[in-house]
Amino acid sequence: MVYKSYFLSFGLLACCLAANAAEPIADRFIADPSPHVFGDTVYLYATDDESNSGTYWDSTSWRAYSSRDLKHWQDEGSFLSVDVFAWAQKDAKAWAPEMAERDGHYYFYAPVGGDKIGVAVADNPLGPFKDAIGAPLIDRAKDKNAGDEPIDPAVYLDNQGQAWLYFGTRVPKVVKLSPDMTSLAGPILDVKISGFPKDDPDKKYGEAPYLHHKNGLYYFTFSTGWPGQIVYATGESPFGPFTYRGVILDYLNISTNHQAIIDIMDKTWFFYHDNLLPGGGSHKRSITLAPLEYKQNGEIEEIRKNHTNGPQISRKTAPGFIEF
Ligand code: FUB
């Protein structure tokens, strides 16, 4: 009897500990989340860490997942590789991707080789995709002010119908996209961020730019470097300027940090990658998510390291979403 209750308590403890930890959404190594709601489904596009060498981010294809409840995720496979871009070098590395939808077309923004961003288009969130323009959309060698490393694209479509493309390491870049989503509609500009704490040299822009809008404010989030925290700055327009506000996610025990934020099911959800599966590490990352909470004054609550994955704590359904 004593024996039995010992196991019962252990079982309960294991259950509750497990429920109070970030869980990977997949049993495969994936990183650099780009989640999007298309219709009644959330699609997640990612860098494929499973197929890299384990010593560098050198995979050459991207992976997609889908979910209708943020809890159960379907592996949609390796839906695109750098080979779709005839101009890409053979075995060019495929890094943090982005997707955007406009007028029923799906545009996949793909950092290729670390010095170019390509754009592929499809009529379906999972393709088949083709190169939209037959040349890089951003090319370090050709585009003025593209920066040293034009990677980590993120697209924000504002309520006037203007699409903004953010990208870059060390200096954040922004450029307007034309309505066709496949050409630039202006010069590439630096994103201005002020107000970094003077006593903390580690608070600076590193990579992973991302813009979202909430309660009348534009939130520009990014990683501070390698390793990095995810921090945020706010401003009055998608272009900025932005003022530093604080930390959303502290340093992880891996060398990169990369986030994306979407609103769904009456909540804001924060997607990021971390070391969450056995055998994981800086080059073998896993994607997870957490609910993002705002204070009355617009500040964002820092994500707790022992957070649950959102769906365990939010059972509310939204139109089109299945109950769980
Ligand atoms: O996955 C390769 C690179 O690691 C991404 O482009 C960066 O954002 C970092 O997460």
Side-chain angles (χ1 to χ4, degrees):
M1 188 65 178
V2 172
Y3 201 62
K4 210 168 166 186
S5 66
Y6 170 80
F7 277 105
L8 187 63
S9 324
F10 181 79
L12 279 173
L13 182 67
C15 133
C16 298
L17 282 176
N20 271 311
E23 291 168 21
I25 68 142
D27 56 7
R28 181 184 177 93
F29 294 118
I30 49 171
D32 303 327
S34 172
H36 296 270
V37 184
F38 298 137
D40 62 3
T41 303
V42 179
Y43 291 90
L44 175 72
Y45 304 91
T47 301
D48 187 17
D49 276 9
E50 185 83 22
S51 63
N52 71 26
S53 60
T55 55
Y56 195 60
W57 304 285
D58 49 11
S59 71
T60 56
S61 59
W62 295 274
R63 199 96 189 163
Y65 288 78
S66 67
S67 175
R68 296 190 68 217
D69 58 11
L70 294 182
K71 187 175 181 188
H72 304 96
W73 290 88
Q74 167 80 31
D75 186 347
E76 303 288 359
S78 172
F79 74 102
L80 197 69
S81 92
V82 294
D83 295 345
V84 74
F85 302 114
W87 45 263
Q89 274 194 337
K90 193 173 157 15
D91 295 335
K93 59 199 180 195
W95 279 9
E98 170 66 313
M99 181 68 84
E101 185 271 340
R102 187 162 194 161
D103 300 330
H105 302 296
Y106 298 85
Y107 299 92
F108 186 72
Y109 297 87
V112 172
D115 61 346
K116 298 179 184 67
I117 296 175
V119 54
V121 65
D123 294 333
N124 214 292
L126 296 172
F129 284 88
K130 61 177 191 213
D131 188 349
I133 49 178
L137 174 66
I138 306 277
D139 186 343
R140 180 179 67 191
K142 292 192 182 143
D143 291 308
K144 208 170 156 211
N145 201 34
D148 290 343
E149 208 176 11
I151 62 166
D152 292 1
V155 172
Y156 178 76
L157 192 58
D158 73 21
N159 55 14
Q160 312 288 312
Q162 177 62 57
W164 304 75
L165 173 67
Y166 304 84
F167 64 92
T169 55
R170 294 177 183 84
V171 179
K173 307 288 179 180
V174 60
V175 62
K176 282 183 180 177
L177 290 176
S178 304
D180 64 14
M181 301 293 275
T182 61
S183 56
L184 307 186
I188 298 171
L189 301 169
D190 295 352
V191 177
K192 298 273 183 265
I193 311 165
S194 62
F196 285 117
K198 292 205 169 34
D199 57 352
D200 186 351
D202 290 339
K203 293 286 184 303
K204 58 187 179 330
Y205 176 82
E207 63 178 356
Y210 191 88
L211 191 84
H212 78 282
H213 186 251
K214 189 78 177 183
N215 301 329
L217 264 187
Y218 291 93
Y219 288 81
F220 188 62
T221 56
F222 50 92
S223 164
T224 56
W226 309 268
Q229 295 171 308
I230 299 299
V231 299
Y232 71 108
T234 57
E236 303 290 326
S237 96
F239 172 63
F242 298 99
T243 307
Y244 175 82
R245 299 287 294 271
V247 175
I248 300 180
L249 183 65
D250 204 358
Y251 297 104
L252 307 171
N253 67 352
I254 54 175
S255 61
T256 64
N257 210 335
H258 193 120
Q259 82 301 348
I261 295 163
I262 58 169
D263 276 338
I264 194 158
M265 294 159 59
D266 290 340
K267 273 189 170 292
T268 303
W269 301 95
F270 182 86
F271 287 70
Y272 66 101
H273 64 221
D274 199 354
N275 179 3
L276 297 175
L277 282 171
S282 285
H283 302 100
K284 295 287 182 187
R285 302 161 293 180
S286 299
I287 291 177
T288 186
L289 69 154
L292 195 69
E293 307 289 347
Y294 301 85
K295 297 181 193 167
Q296 288 252 309
N297 63 2
E299 284 175 16
I300 290 178
E301 302 268 12
E302 190 170 333
I303 304 273
R304 286 174 292 110
K305 279 284 164 63
N306 63 346
H307 71 80
T308 53
N309 279 37
Q312 281 106 336
I313 58 167
S314 173
R315 296 188 172 267
K316 213 163 171 182
T317 55
F321 276 75
I322 57 170
E323 194 150 5
F324 55 87

